[in-house]
Each structure stands twice: as C-alpha cells, then as structure tokens.
Amino acid sequence: MNPDTPILDNHLHLDPDHGQGLDAVADFANVGGTHLLVVNKPSWTLGVEVEDADDFRAAFETTIEVVEEATEVLDGRAWPVLGVHPGLVTHLTDRGFSPEAAGELMQAGLDVAAEYVSSGAALALKSGRPHYEVSDEVWDASNAVLRHALALGADHECAVQLHTEATDDLTEVAEWAEERGLPAHRVVKHYADGRLAGPMPSVMSEKDRLETAAEAGAPFLMETDFIDDPDRPGAVLGPKTVPRRVRWLLENGHDEAVRRAHVETPAQVYGIDTGSG
C-alpha cells in the first residue's frame, strides 16, 4: 500500500539513452513516488568534452526532455535542476586547462544553466566544489565557481544545489550566499547527513541519516542520488528507496518529519507545491 502523502526525491539523475531512464521513474512511481528533481548528469559521463559554454546545452536539453517524459509517468511531476558538476574541474585540468581557465568555463556553463531557469525551463541550479583532495589553485578556482552559482541563484531567485566535501558544517558557504542575496535555506547540500549547519540538508535516504534528521525537528529533504549508470550498479541508492524510506518513517511515527521533507521544505526551498502536483 502506498503512503497517502506526496513523495519527492530531491536529487537523482536519469539517462534515457544509456541507463534505465523512464523505467527508473516507473519504479519510483510504482512504490508511491510522486515528484522528482532531476539533475543533469555530468557532461563527461554523456561523452561530451566541453570546450565552450554552449557545449553544456546537450546535457541540459537531455535532462529537460526526460523530465517532460517523467512528468507523464508520475502522479505529481518532475523538475529539472541544471548546472555544472564540480568534478569537471579535474577533467579540464587533466586536459591541459589551467585551474583559472577551467573555472571560467564552468562559470560560463552555469550562466547557460541560469538562462533555462530564467525562461522557466529549469527550477534550480547545481554547483559545488570537489569532495576529494585538490591543489590550492584548483580549490580556489572551484570556490570561485561555487560563489558564482550562489550569485546566479540570487539574481534568478532560485535555489542552488551543492555537491561538496562530506561535512556537517557549511556555515561559511551559507554566509557567502547571504552576502550575495540568496537566503541560506535556498542553498541545498546534496548527499547530506542528518544534521547540517548552514545550508539546507538533502539527506541521503539511509535509515541512520534519516532518523537523525527526523528527530532533529528541523527542515530537510530526502534523496537517493541515483546515477542511472549501468556500469556502476549499486553505486548509490536505487529509485525505489525514497518511497520505501517514507513508509519506514511513517511506520516509526515520524509523520511530521515526512510532511516537512516532502511538503513544507520543498515549498520553502523551491517554491513548489507538491501537495497539488
């Protein structure tokens, strides 16, 4: 039996050409999932070696198209989240770009993503910084990219999802956002633990993390980071996970936490109404 509540996976990827694509959406919907935030896959995973800002459009357009198709499958709907994966900096420097030039290209890619937000074709932006060890020069360039994304979020009045290092404290990043006019609650740390200082946590849907988030009583989101890559089965959580974890939370008396994660927080962060589709 499906829970009588909207269910949102805040961060997953769909690859209609090489992965499960709409089959993953159907799996999500069949166990009660209603809403999705679909993040474009990193450009290099789609075989795109970016040279200029327009090269990012292929990944963005693919995501927008599959989101439109996913909405037809869901009782609710899906939205695109577009941006530049922070790991791109390493792919570019490995190809001979300087850290500064790599960062400038990534910022230009974010400018293109922001065009889609401005037109209403996308809901939010995606950026971040490497979660692995890099040189000081790459770190500085990556933080410049991240700050640029926050400024774009402020300019376009949209949320920004971040892929960062594992941490429970991103207060400094939240301060960067506030300085640029983007409220800290509209900055979302993807792949978060159950507690986070600074931005909004998008909690990986593992039971221990979710229990921590539910008991904290603070706003949070739920995600799988499903990567839809047939070469990496089981790398992260599958598309059925969020609905199943919602059921588990309800069975354990966390009704208010479910409402926060799937109705109240999405409205606060993205301005979306999951309760009415």
Side-chain angles (χ1 to χ4, degrees):
M1 183 174 65
N2 292 336
D4 184 20
T5 177
I7 296 177
L8 169 73
D9 189 332
N10 181 66
H11 185 111
L12 86 166
H13 308 275
L14 294 173
D15 188 336
D17 297 322
H18 309 101
Q20 295 181 41
L22 293 181
D23 288 342
V25 179
D27 285 347
F28 173 75
N30 287 339
V31 291
T34 58
H35 297 77
L36 294 171
L37 263 64
V38 183
V39 184
N40 63 271
K41 292 191 73 172
S43 51
W44 68 89
T45 69
L46 298 174
V48 178
E49 295 292 354
V50 294
E51 299 288 347
D52 59 44
D54 280 337
D55 290 337
F56 291 97
R57 293 188 188 274
F60 299 161
E61 295 286 353
T62 295
T63 302
I64 290 169
E65 290 173 8
V66 76
V67 161
E68 291 174 352
E69 295 171 347
T71 293
E72 297 298 316
V73 176
L74 298 168
D75 285 343
R77 62 164 296 181
W79 293 270
V81 176
L82 305 181
V84 179
H85 192 284
L88 179 60
V89 68
T90 298
H91 288 263
L92 291 172
T93 54
D94 285 348
R95 288 170 49 202
F97 283 73
S98 69
E100 182 179 8
E104 289 173 354
L105 178 54
M106 293 167 70
Q107 290 187 44
L110 284 166
D111 290 340
V112 174
E115 294 175 13
Y116 290 92
V117 173
S118 180
S119 71
L123 180 67
L125 296 172
K126 159 72 182 298
S127 185
R129 61 191 183 193
H131 61 280
Y132 48 89
E133 188 173 348
V134 294
S135 68
D136 289 345
E137 293 79 11
V138 168
W139 185 250
D140 290 344
S142 297
N143 276 319
V145 173
L146 191 162
R147 288 191 289 266
H148 184 65
L150 298 175
L152 288 171
D155 291 344
H156 296 276
E157 298 182 344
C158 71
V160 180
Q161 289 197 16
L162 297 181
H163 180 126
T164 75
E165 71 278 11
T167 180
D168 60 5
D169 189 349
L170 284 176
T171 303
E172 181 182 43
V173 171
E175 291 171 350
W176 291 348
E178 296 277 0
E179 289 167 1
R180 287 158 177 78
L182 181 65
H185 70 265
R186 305 204 76 186
V187 182
V188 179
K189 175 173 168 46
H190 131 74
Y191 214 110
D193 286 327
R195 291 181 184 270
L196 177 67
M200 182 68 67
S202 181
V203 179
M204 275 295 282
S205 294
E206 298 163 344
K207 289 183 177 180
D208 56 343
R209 300 191 195 206
L210 290 176
E211 191 167 39
T212 298
E215 292 177 352
F220 71 102
L221 297 153
M222 290 174 60
E223 68 166 78
T224 57
D225 191 27
F226 175 64
I227 61 174
D228 204 5
D229 184 345
D231 293 331
R232 298 176 62 196
V236 286
L237 301 177
K240 297 180 181 180
T241 306
V242 167
R244 287 173 170 171
R245 293 293 187 262
V246 166
R247 186 177 293 106
W248 174 78
L249 285 167
L250 293 172
E251 289 171 352
N252 284 275
H254 293 301
D255 301 57
E256 287 303 314
V258 168
R259 179 167 181 82
R260 283 200 308 276
H262 297 276
V263 178
E264 295 171 3
T265 306
Q268 179 186 19
V269 175
Y270 301 107
I272 58 177
D273 182 359
T274 58
S276 61

